[in-house]
Amino acid sequence: MLKRELEYFFGALRFFTRLPVPAWVGHSSEALDRATRYFPAVGLLIGAIAALVFVLTSYLWPTTLAVLAAMASSLYLTGAFHEDGWSDMVDGFGGGWDKAQILAIMKDSRIGSFGAIALVMLLLARFCALIELDWLEIPLALLAGHTLSRFAATTLLRGLDYVRDEGKAKPLATRISWGELGFAGLTALLPLLLLPPLAALLGCLFAALATLWLARLFQRQIGGYTGDCLGATQQLSEVAFYCGLLCNFS
């Protein structure tokens, strides 16, 4: 059982990152489908590496450059996989008039003006939000943000249907069970315990609102989700989480 669960985890790690996995790990659509519970765990690892990069580089450079280094490390580790989904989603929903056109635009590998502008704005918002946090909060925010946002994307696997006949996310299209979703949620909860309770609550609230808004948009426009929709949800909910941490009612 332990080897099987490790195979599921490493399968998720291989699908979503550039990190190496053991040679004995096989590849199958069924195993990847069962790996959905480990998406937040992959985020936990990515967030931990980004947090470590920030801490190390902050001893050499100002906070602004250290944050950029942490962001660059996560982009490299994931191959900008989720950022690509965000830009494709915005291109599709910004330029498409119906379901068929939206899906066709999202499948196009070229980036359009909507996607390019949205990507720049998203990265800028992430950078600006992170540098506004206290130094000690930044690594904790990275850890929690990467983990929680991947749980947010995982919730779509429970609530929506996959709308393509083929695609990179097709092996993930089987609806996740409540037990698997609960395990993913517990993983996402762990790094939140390191943050001040009110800040963590507001961050979760903002991430949830972003996820619900996107889920409603996806359901209304195309009747479900695609792989690009999952990536877009991860990206927007991560930035929304950081914005929630910054809420100040004084």
Side-chain angles (χ1 to χ4, degrees):
M1 181 180 294
L2 177 59
K3 182 178 180 181
R4 183 183 63 203
E5 293 300 320
L6 284 173
E7 185 176 3
Y8 294 160
F9 169 73
F10 285 128
L13 193 67
R14 177 167 55 191
F15 188 82
F16 287 108
T17 76
R18 292 178 169 180
L19 293 171
V21 300
W24 56 263
V25 177
H27 176 76
S28 69
S29 297
E30 180 183 358
L32 188 56
D33 171 56
R34 306 303 299 177
T36 52
R37 74 191 78 171
Y38 290 112
F39 292 173
V42 172
L44 186 64
L45 180 58
I46 297 297
I49 295 174
L52 179 61
V53 169
F54 169 77
V55 171
L56 293 177
T57 55
S58 65
Y59 288 107
L60 300 174
W61 302 323
T63 299
T64 51
L65 289 181
V67 167
L68 279 176
M71 290 175 56
S73 69
S74 66
L75 287 167
Y76 174 77
L77 290 172
T78 61
F81 190 61
H82 304 298
E83 285 79 5
D84 179 68
W86 164 257
S87 62
D88 285 344
M89 186 280 292
V90 175
D91 267 336
F93 283 81
W97 295 100
D98 55 30
K99 176 180 177 179
Q101 192 176 23
I102 291 172
L103 293 176
I105 293 174
M106 285 198 292
K107 194 173 182 180
D108 192 336
S109 60
R110 296 169 295 181
I111 186 171
S113 56
F114 284 119
I117 293 170
L119 183 58
V120 171
M121 293 296 292
L122 182 91
L123 293 173
L124 185 60
R126 185 187 301 166
F127 172 75
C128 289
L130 286 170
I131 63 173
E132 289 296 326
L133 293 169
D134 293 336
W135 187 92
L136 289 175
E137 291 181 321
I138 293 176
L140 301 180
L142 287 167
L143 195 63
H146 279 279
T147 309
L148 179 69
S149 61
R150 282 164 175 81
F151 173 68
T154 304
T155 61
L156 299 190
L157 300 175
R158 178 67 199 178
L160 302 180
D161 296 319
Y162 188 72
V163 297
R164 288 193 188 277
D165 295 329
E166 297 179 353
K168 290 182 179 179
K170 182 64 176 177
L172 313 177
T174 302
R175 189 159 294 188
I176 189 173
S177 70
W178 284 113
E180 291 171 324
L181 188 63
F183 177 85
L186 287 175
T187 305
L189 176 65
L190 293 177
L192 293 172
L193 299 177
L194 302 174
L195 292 166
L198 180 59
L201 180 61
L202 290 170
C204 290
L205 176 61
F206 274 60
L209 290 174
T211 303
L212 289 171
W213 177 72
L214 285 177
R216 185 173 180 272
L217 175 67
F218 301 153
Q219 183 64 33
R220 185 176 69 249
Q221 295 292 330
I222 61 175
Y225 71 92
T226 69
D228 289 329
C229 294
L230 296 178
T233 302
Q234 185 277 319
Q235 287 291 291
L236 187 61
S237 62
E238 182 186 348
V239 172
F241 174 75
Y242 299 145
C243 291
L245 294 181
L246 289 167
C247 284
N248 187 351
F249 299 102
S250 60

